[in-house]
Amino acid sequence: MQFQRYGVYYTPHPGALADFGKSWLGWDLVSGQTVAHPEMDGLPRPVADITATPRKYGLHGTIKPPIFLAEGADAGELARRFEALCTTLAPVTLGGLVLARLGGFIALKVDGDQTPLANLAGAVVRELDDFRAPPTEAELARRRKAKLSAKQEELLAQWGYPYVMEEFRFHITLSGRLGSDVEATMDALAPHITPLLPRPFEVDSLTLVGEDITGKFHEIHRQTLSG
């Protein structure tokens, strides 16, 4: 399959959380297939509406944001470099994951200090940056609509994305922007997902992903962190 962008994600290992997540979002990035949504009482909107925005990405936490390949860069070489890099990076163990409200949407975030994961993500961003095409003016303008801080502008200029390095905040997105429906959605979702959340939360592998021409993301390769 040909991909238009490539990124590096954390994706849960096969198991209860991964199974629930792909059903909740309606997309399985491992198999590259749509999945039926779960039946759930108490939601203020249909699951398909709640999850429309993040669906195409699959259940994931971004480590290296998706990039277009630079001129002359090769997807096969990116995969080889990704695999080699993972052999130099050690797994990280964090306190756990919790369901949280982030602005107007719902996500899973790290419970406790995320510094080891931020350091891991920073290393991946740095070491694979030579594969990244510079952002277009249209991309820059779209990012700047978020009213970036001076630091975020600096990061955007250097790394092509404003929320890396010092501004990195790990999260696994579960909804689009919900407005006044956030609390009701969290109340309905919590009993189903909270028992599945890991404690401690170990990141012992990373996943290279590709975006197809329809905008949906697919797993290319999961690599164990063995540094």
Side-chain angles (χ1 to χ4, degrees):
M1 182 179 292
Q2 294 294 311
F3 298 114
Q4 57 182 352
R5 290 195 298 165
Y6 297 85
V8 178
Y9 287 172
Y10 161 80
T11 60
H13 285 286
L17 179 58
D19 289 344
F20 180 83
K22 66 188 179 185
S23 177
W24 171 255
L25 292 176
W27 177 251
D28 180 5
L29 59 75
V30 177
S31 67
Q33 295 179 327
T34 58
V35 181
H37 293 299
E39 295 290 333
M40 192 175 297
D41 295 331
L43 291 170
R45 308 182 196 176
V47 178
D49 292 349
I50 292 169
T51 60
T53 301
R55 179 170 305 121
K56 66 181 183 178
Y57 300 99
L59 189 72
H60 81 288
T62 299
I63 299 298
K64 180 173 177 61
I67 60 169
F68 292 99
L69 290 181
E71 185 175 355
D74 177 74
E77 180 58 25
L78 171 61
R80 289 188 286 274
R81 280 271 297 279
F82 164 74
E83 292 173 17
L85 175 61
C86 288
T87 68
T88 73
L89 300 172
V92 299
T93 301
L94 307 169
L97 289 177
V98 293
L99 183 65
R101 174 177 183 164
L102 297 181
F105 65 97
I106 295 170
L108 304 178
K109 70 174 188 177
V110 173
D111 185 20
D113 181 21
Q114 68 152 14
T115 300
L117 184 53
N119 292 339
L120 173 68
V124 175
V125 168
R126 281 192 303 272
E127 295 301 320
L128 299 180
D129 191 60
D130 54 316
F131 287 94
R132 175 179 61 84
T136 64
E137 288 301 318
E139 289 178 85
L140 292 173
R142 180 169 60 85
R143 294 292 178 200
R144 286 169 175 148
K145 288 181 181 179
K147 299 179 180 179
L148 303 178
S149 67
K151 171 52 70 175
Q152 289 165 352
E153 279 282 356
E154 179 185 325
L155 295 168
L156 177 63
Q158 183 171 3
W159 304 108
Y161 194 74
Y163 309 113
V164 294
M165 306 306 178
E166 301 96 318
E167 295 293 314
F168 175 79
R169 302 291 183 271
F170 180 84
H171 59 279
I172 298 175
T173 304
L174 297 176
S175 79
R177 297 196 178 277
L178 297 176
S180 60
D181 289 336
V182 169
E183 296 301 329
T185 304
M186 285 188 65
D187 289 345
L189 178 59
H192 298 272
I193 198 168
T194 299
L196 309 178
L197 300 182
R199 182 169 293 276
F201 171 43
E202 184 174 23
V203 178
D204 61 2
S205 65
L206 295 177
T207 303
L208 181 67
V209 297
E211 180 187 30
D212 68 24
I213 59 172
T214 72
K216 292 186 174 67
F217 280 79
H218 301 252
E219 176 183 293
I220 297 172
H221 179 64
R222 179 192 290 272
Q223 180 71 29
T224 299
L225 301 178
S226 56

